[in-house]
Structure formats: C-alpha cells, structure tokens
Amino acid sequence: SAKDLLDQYAYYGKQFTYEFIDPDRNPGLAKRYGITSYGTIVLESGEKEEKVLVADEENLTNTLLKVIREGKKVVYFLEGHGEHSINNTEREGYSEAKRAIESQNYMVNPLSLLTAGKLPDDASILIIAGPRKDLLEGELAEITRFIEGGGKVLFLVDPEGPPGLTPYLADYGMQVVEGVVVDPVSRLFGMDYLTPVIVSYEPHPITKNFEVASFFPLALSVKTTDK
C-alpha cells in the first residue's frame, strides 16, 4: 500500500523519488536516519528531513510540506476582545485548530494589537475568531493597512457579535445578516434547528474530495455586495 501511494507522488511530482531500504541489511544507514521501527518513511529535501510512521496521504502530504517549504509562515490569532483562544482546550477553545494548522508547518501565535500596536512583518494571515467586543479604531486602522499592503485576514463572526465589525466588513463587500441560520433538515441528523448541516459543496480547492457532512452550530448568514 505504501508503494502504491509513493508511486502516485512520483507520478504527479517529477522531483519526487523514493527507494526502499532494508534496515537489517543497511544498519549504518538506519542509524544515520535514526530508524527504530520497520515501515518508517523518511522524507528528505536539502538539509531537511522528517519521519512518517503511518503511510497515508494525510501524513505524507503534511510532512512533505514541512521539508519543502522555505522557513515557516506565521498565523496570528487576534486576542483582547473575547475571541476563541488557541490555548483553550474546552469546547469553545481553538486548541485543536492550532494543532491542525501547526501540522501544516505553520507557526501559530496569539497577537494583541492593543499592546503590539502593529502586525508583525512575518504575518502570513491574521485570524479574528469570534470577538465579543468591538475592536478599537486604531486596531481597525492597522488591520486596514495590513490588508491594503497585501495581507490576508480571516474574520469569524458569531451571531450577536460586536456591532462595530458589521460596517467595517461592509466596506469590503460583505453584508453580515442579523439573526441565526435555521435548518429543519438538521433534525434528521439528531441535531437541533440551529445547527445547519452541509452535505454537498460548491467546487472549490478547500472542499475538494469532501465526502462527509459538516455541521455549523449557531451560524449567521453573510452575503456579498457589489463593493
């Protein structure tokens, strides 16, 4: 099964090559790579190397990204307004999101614009995850400067969120609709009406090969405008 998968990587990526090595017949090489168990895959690019213990597509792809990327990109989560915390392991926390992003070879850091004043130069994206209080004008001005300079920002807005974000997002062609999305179909999945379920997806690289349902408890609606 590992060979079949590696053959696919080699077929689609002409710079990808591989070979199988018996650690019992090549103990020196096994020691060089620190191999302690059979079936270990070592991915190597330049001076970087990473091990994969489970030969499936997810593990191979994530590890491959680690060895071919030049440096680490940094993802910042805004804090100071009651956002979902990346250090919170409870239901409302984003610790699992932090772990998943880090598995893609990104660095994940919290950021308070109230103390830092500006976004760091190494910021790849700023994520504003469900703030409960409005951002100050100076913070919004810094975010605008970041966007106009080519920076990327992900706004995650919860129902009954702070009113100040609505006009700000409207300037970028996004209309936040008041209220909560109600989905009667979700009752068929054992959920309540306030947990919309998505079973089919529009064509997009993010949702490519999605074959499972997604649930969005307490979601609001966002529309695009002509801006």
Side-chain angles (χ1 to χ4, degrees):
S1 59
K3 184 180 185 304
D4 290 341
L5 187 58
L6 293 170
D7 282 341
Q8 293 183 48
Y9 279 75
Y11 177 80
Y12 289 104
K14 301 305 180 184
Q15 293 177 306
F16 183 92
T17 60
Y18 73 91
E19 62 178 318
F20 285 97
I21 295 174
D22 186 338
D24 294 324
R25 295 185 178 182
N26 298 272
L29 197 59
K31 183 178 180 180
R32 151 72 178 83
Y33 286 105
I35 303 301
T36 58
S37 61
Y38 294 107
T40 302
I41 295 175
V42 178
L43 292 175
E44 189 174 32
S45 177
E47 297 181 355
K48 294 182 180 180
E49 62 181 58
E50 294 283 343
K51 295 184 181 65
V52 179
L53 300 180
V54 179
D56 58 26
E57 185 175 352
E58 179 181 2
N59 283 305
L60 277 171
T61 300
N62 290 344
T63 308
L64 190 61
L65 289 173
K66 291 182 180 181
V67 299
I68 64 176
R69 278 183 176 157
E70 294 296 332
K72 282 194 174 183
K73 295 185 177 181
V74 186
V75 175
Y76 285 95
F77 278 78
L78 189 67
E79 62 178 14
H81 317 86
E83 294 89 349
H84 299 277
S85 173
I86 57 175
N87 297 316
N88 186 350
T89 58
E90 298 179 357
R91 185 174 180 272
E92 295 292 323
Y94 273 27
S95 61
E96 281 299 306
K98 177 178 183 289
R99 182 196 62 77
I101 295 171
E102 288 177 335
S103 72
Q104 302 290 322
N105 200 34
Y106 290 90
M107 291 183 63
V108 180
N109 292 324
L111 173 69
S112 171
L113 283 177
L114 295 172
T115 56
K118 66 182 295 294
L119 277 145
D121 294 335
D122 61 0
S124 296
I125 185 171
L126 173 67
I127 299 178
I128 303 173
R132 295 188 178 92
K133 297 181 180 179
D134 275 322
L135 280 65
L136 300 180
E137 289 187 9
E139 294 177 294
L140 291 174
E142 171 59 16
I143 293 171
T144 300
R145 181 199 66 79
F146 179 65
I147 294 173
E148 293 178 350
K152 298 177 176 62
V153 181
L154 173 61
F155 289 91
L156 303 174
V157 184
D158 291 331
E160 300 183 355
L165 277 182
T166 299
Y168 182 82
L169 293 174
D171 289 339
Y172 290 96
M174 291 175 285
Q175 178 189 355
V176 178
V177 181
E178 292 187 6
V180 181
V181 176
V182 176
D183 181 11
V185 177
S186 61
R187 291 299 295 269
L188 300 176
F189 295 86
M191 314 297 287
D192 62 25
Y193 291 134
L194 302 183
T195 305
V197 57
I198 305 298
V199 295
S200 61
Y201 306 88
E202 294 293 325
H204 192 279
I206 292 177
T207 55
K208 182 180 179 182
N209 298 325
F210 269 28
E211 298 178 351
V212 296
S214 299
F215 296 88
F216 298 88
L218 295 177
L220 56 72
S221 176
V222 179
K223 298 181 180 179
T224 56
T225 65
D226 294 333
K227 280 195 173 185

